[in-house]
């Protein structure tokens, strides 16, 4: 259903009664209005901050808002309360170091939702050290670790299974990984893992490991890390440079 505001720039999603831009349905009127309420932006400033937005669309959204202000204010309030509730229920991942003077204690990576604490990995088994846990909204965790064998890499955890994404010494894009870097923001809600790497050919870049669907049923959970290179695809987010003599001569 179209709402005749200006040149019919706003429409109503009949399923959820949400006003959206006709040209860009993913943009809701409430999103535009929140810029006005939070920052006091004029429609001109909204368009400067969001280049995809036209001046006529911004005006149409604000006309729609002032015509139905109580209704949209109520929706904005509901969304804000829901987001605050989700934040309060979100899990966190953190590292716990062994207590000084307690030789039987271990470094552990834990998650907690404020009620339940879960051990993801610890140094009582095959791990020698654990660093940099990252957690997404689906409670999947990824972390950098070193095994007792000396292997260092990035390991994801989901549903009690610890796997391996990539490690130093693994092949990558026709070369071999020499250095890996991983941050707390390295795991997204799609299960993709972003990491930095230096390859033995001198290439430096930011890479993305993306899970792909498995044709076979999921394996039985195992406590020890195993390789998942076969169910991941790797992409390049950005490549720095190669320290090759040939390229140096070209500079």
């Amino acid at each position: 259903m179209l709402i005749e505001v200006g040149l019919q720039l706003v429409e109503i999603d009949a399923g959820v009664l949400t006003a959206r831009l006709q040209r860009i349905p993913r943009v809701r009127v409430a999103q535009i209005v929140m810029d006005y309420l939070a920052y006091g932006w004029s429609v001109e400033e909204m368009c400067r901050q969001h280049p995809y937005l036209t001046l006529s669309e911004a005006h149409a959204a604000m006309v729609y808002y002032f015509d139905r202000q109580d209704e949209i204010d109520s929706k904005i309030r509901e969304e804000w309360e829901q987001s605050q509730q989700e934040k309060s229920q979100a899990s966190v991942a953190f590292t716990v170091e062994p207590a000084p003077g307690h030789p039987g204690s271990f470094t552990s990576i834990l998650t907690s939702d404020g009620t339940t604490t879960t051990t993801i990995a610890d140094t009582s088994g095959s791990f020698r050290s654990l660093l940099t846990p990252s957690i997404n909204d689906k409670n999947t965790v990824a972390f950098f670790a070193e095994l007792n064998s000396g292997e260092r890499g990035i390991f994801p955890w989901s549903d009690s299974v610890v796997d391996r994404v990539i490690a130093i010494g693994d092949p990558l894009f026709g070369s071999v990984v020499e250095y890996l870097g991983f941050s707390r923001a390295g795991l997204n809600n799609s299960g993709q893992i972003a990491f930095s790497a230096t390859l033995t050919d001198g290439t430096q870049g930011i890479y993305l490991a993306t899970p792909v669907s498995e044709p076979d049923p999921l394996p039985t959970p195992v406590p020890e890390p195993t390789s998942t290179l076969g169910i991941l695809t790797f992409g390049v987010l950005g490549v720095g440079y190669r320290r090759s003599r040939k390229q140096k001569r070209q500079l």
Side-chain angles (χ1 to χ4, degrees):
M1 177 176 66
L2 294 180
I3 303 299
E4 293 190 5
V5 179
L7 299 175
Q8 292 188 332
L9 301 175
V10 174
E11 64 181 2
I12 295 293
D13 186 334
V16 292
L17 297 179
T18 299
R20 303 176 182 273
L21 294 184
Q22 183 182 7
R23 185 176 62 89
I24 317 174
R26 64 181 174 81
V27 177
R28 296 175 295 115
V29 168
Q31 291 173 281
I32 299 172
V33 170
M34 280 189 274
D35 284 340
Y36 165 75
L37 296 176
Y39 310 115
W41 287 350
S42 64
V43 290
E44 291 80 9
E45 183 61 25
M46 291 176 190
C47 294
R48 277 193 291 269
Q49 296 291 335
H50 307 296
Y52 59 83
L53 198 62
T54 67
L55 195 59
S56 57
E57 287 170 335
H59 276 293
M62 293 307 298
V63 169
Y64 183 90
Y65 168 65
F66 286 119
D67 192 46
R68 300 165 176 79
Q69 186 168 354
D70 290 343
E71 172 189 332
I72 297 178
D73 283 346
S74 177
K75 286 184 178 295
I76 291 174
R77 192 178 305 109
E78 288 176 7
E79 289 182 9
W80 185 85
E81 291 173 352
Q82 182 178 356
S83 69
Q84 295 304 303
Q85 182 179 5
E86 290 173 352
K87 286 180 180 179
S88 67
Q89 296 173 348
S91 295
V92 295
F94 54 96
T95 304
V96 176
E97 298 293 337
H102 292 75
S105 57
F106 307 100
T107 300
S108 303
I109 289 179
L110 309 175
T111 63
S112 176
D113 59 5
T115 302
T116 303
T117 300
T118 303
T119 299
I120 304 302
D122 61 41
T123 54
S124 65
S126 58
F127 290 111
R128 178 184 299 171
S129 63
L130 301 166
L131 299 167
T132 326
S134 176
I135 187 170
N136 64 17
D137 291 343
K138 297 180 180 179
N139 291 327
T140 299
V141 177
F143 54 92
F144 189 90
E146 181 179 2
L147 299 176
N148 292 326
S149 62
E151 180 181 41
R152 289 176 291 170
I154 300 169
F155 299 81
W157 176 96
S158 180
D159 296 328
S160 301
V161 178
V162 176
D163 293 314
R164 192 191 78 183
V165 175
I166 194 165
I168 294 173
D170 283 345
L172 186 65
F173 291 108
S175 188
V176 177
V177 176
E178 184 177 53
Y179 167 84
L180 282 173
F182 183 65
S183 77
R184 292 185 180 274
L187 174 67
N188 67 19
N189 287 336
S190 297
Q192 295 174 310
I193 295 175
F195 58 93
S196 61
T198 299
L199 309 184
T200 53
D201 66 1
T203 301
Q204 295 180 335
I206 306 296
Y207 301 88
L208 187 68
T210 301
V212 296
S213 299
E214 291 184 282
D216 299 323
L218 291 175
T220 302
V222 292
E224 301 298 328
T226 58
S227 174
T228 60
L229 288 173
I231 59 170
L232 290 166
T233 60
F234 288 87
V236 183
L237 295 179
V239 175
Y241 61 89
R242 291 186 178 182
R243 299 187 300 271
S244 67
R245 294 181 180 176
K246 181 177 180 181
Q247 286 189 326
K248 284 183 178 179
R249 287 197 298 269
Q250 291 175 345
L251 294 177

